[in-house]
Amino acid sequence: MSHLFRKFWAVFAVLGLGFGLAGMLATPTQAASKDNGEFKVGMEAGYAPFNWTQNDSSNGAVKIQGSSEYANGYDVQIAKRIAKALGKTPVVVKTDWDGLPPALTSGKIDAIIAGMSPTPERRKTIDFTNTYYVSNMTIVVRKDGKYANATSLKDFKGAKITGQLSTSDYDAISQIKGVIKEPAMNNFPAMRAAIESGTIDGYASEVPEGSSAEAANPNLKMIHFAKGQGFKTNPDESDLAIGVRKGYEYKAKINEVLAGISQKERTQIMNEAVANQPSTGNTGNWFVSLMQQYGGMLLRGVGMTILLAVVGTLVGFLIGLFVGIIRTIPRPRSTGKRGLLRLFDWLLAVYIEVFRGTPMIVQAAVLYYGSAQALHLSIDRTAAALIIVSINTGAYISEIIRGGITSVDAGQFEAANALGMTHFQMMRKVILPQAVRNSLPAVTNEFIVNIKDTSVLSVISVSELFFSGETIAGQNFQFFHTYLVISGIYLIMTFTISRAFRLIEKHMDGPKNYNVMNNQMQVETPRIGGAPRKDAE
């Protein structure tokens, strides 16, 4: 039994070393945000004309952190002026809207420049600079739709209207009497797709965004309300400010920079942003056009998705083997060892319940943002994604492996014990080969699930396939075409994995025409009637 525990500690040490190496990628948050000469700005890079993603550095675009793409727009140009005044290099951190506040409070970014209003609720957690853009609100509808000629909020009675999640735009919809307030959506590309499909009649937004949508997509129209007939807003709702951490040392300097930008300059910057925003540019075959313009972005998204799925499933499988073996160790006779084993069994059970009982998107946010906020550690986003996928997968596969182990006939356990094998010898030579084969279909299913579930990791700014698709759809307005291509790519990946593992299963099963009797040693028997006879005859 002591030999068994030595192996247990060896396996435990190997796993600990692996996660320790991942932890070496963590650096102190404050040092990352202050001392490297960078001004890290968080934005969606998908909210034209304020910010968008493009493939090159034209028109003064800024490189997106951890990507080969660039960001541009009104917000980016304002960020460049601030960074220059601070003597720093501007860096854009592309993040989902919901991920911006935690990214700021955890020190992942230095500022939010993303068309955010300084509402009282937001001021409770973060601070804001002076206004960097003042805008009125509008509603975007279909150009040929029922509400295209509206001039007043009253005209939208009975209309299905939505807005972006956690914004004053969405809250303002309540001013429309008789409106059908649809659930909020996460981003503007999704809302534009909803208008195109007819699931909503319109969405509320700022005038620049409406003007941008109208200019880029001939099927959309921004409503121009008659005087006094539009949304009634206060500065907290219509003004856009830069979000910073509480007590941020450069807040006064940023306000000084903003004060030096006249209203005429701001209008000019916005007009240039509207003119420079990506156009649909679809001529000829839509598939060829999409692949020529965005093929590189899709390939990078596919590469990240495959990396996360392969590494996550492989490491998760090893974790599952480890946990499955430990949880099937026979109870030692020694009281101390028995208590230690029960403790580890309880800890492993807690690990399984926690990671199977909580969504991966929550786990990713807690690890990536929580570790920075609570422990002041900055983990690389790709490393954080790999850790989360691996640990989450390990929780599921550990139960799959345990089920595979218990499915092996009890007589084989007894035979191995009779031969004097230790638990690990029995597992390695007798039980696991059968348990792994029995579990292979379920493991394949976990692999396929990981390919699809990596889409939730956009919350920590991981640009996998779906996140890349969202960016493309927000630029070209070809929502159906873009998501159709994304669906096809996912199907190709999952189908390929499914068929590959089917071949592995067949290989592990061996030949179907295998005959035990034909492979037994032929033994001669005594002569009967002077003629030799063999058992097989």
Side-chain angles (χ1 to χ4, degrees), residues 359-400:
M360 188 187 294
I361 188 172
V362 175
Q363 298 166 11
V366 169
L367 175 66
Y368 186 65
Y369 298 122
S371 61
Q373 195 163 358
L375 304 176
H376 303 292
L377 294 176
S378 180
I379 303 177
D380 177 80
R381 65 171 64 91
T382 303
L386 290 171
I387 292 172
I388 283 299
V389 176
S390 299
I391 296 178
N392 183 277
T393 303
Y396 284 93
I397 292 184
S398 62
E399 289 299 277
I400 293 173

Side-chain angles (χ1 to χ4, degrees), residues 286-287 290 478-490:
W286 65 265
F287 179 78
L290 188 148
Q478 298 175 20
F479 303 100
F480 175 76
H481 297 149
T482 301
Y483 289 126
L484 182 63
V485 171
I486 296 297
S487 299
I489 295 174
Y490 274 118

Side-chain angles (χ1 to χ4, degrees), residues 371-449:
S371 61
Q373 195 163 358
L375 304 176
H376 303 292
L377 294 176
S378 180
I379 303 177
D380 177 80
R381 65 171 64 91
T382 303
L386 290 171
I387 292 172
I388 283 299
V389 176
S390 299
I391 296 178
N392 183 277
T393 303
Y396 284 93
I397 292 184
S398 62
E399 289 299 277
I400 293 173
I401 296 297
R402 190 171 68 89
I405 291 174
T406 57
S407 69
V408 177
D409 185 78
Q412 300 197 38
F413 287 88
E414 296 171 358
N417 285 326
L419 292 173
M421 290 185 178
T422 65
H423 181 71
F424 281 96
Q425 287 176 332
M426 176 174 60
M427 285 291 163
R428 181 168 58 88
K429 297 181 179 181
V430 180
I431 305 301
L432 283 184
Q434 302 173 72
V436 169
R437 171 59 189 89
N438 295 339
S439 305
L440 200 56
V443 173
T444 303
N445 185 62
E446 281 300 312
F447 197 168
I448 292 173
V449 168

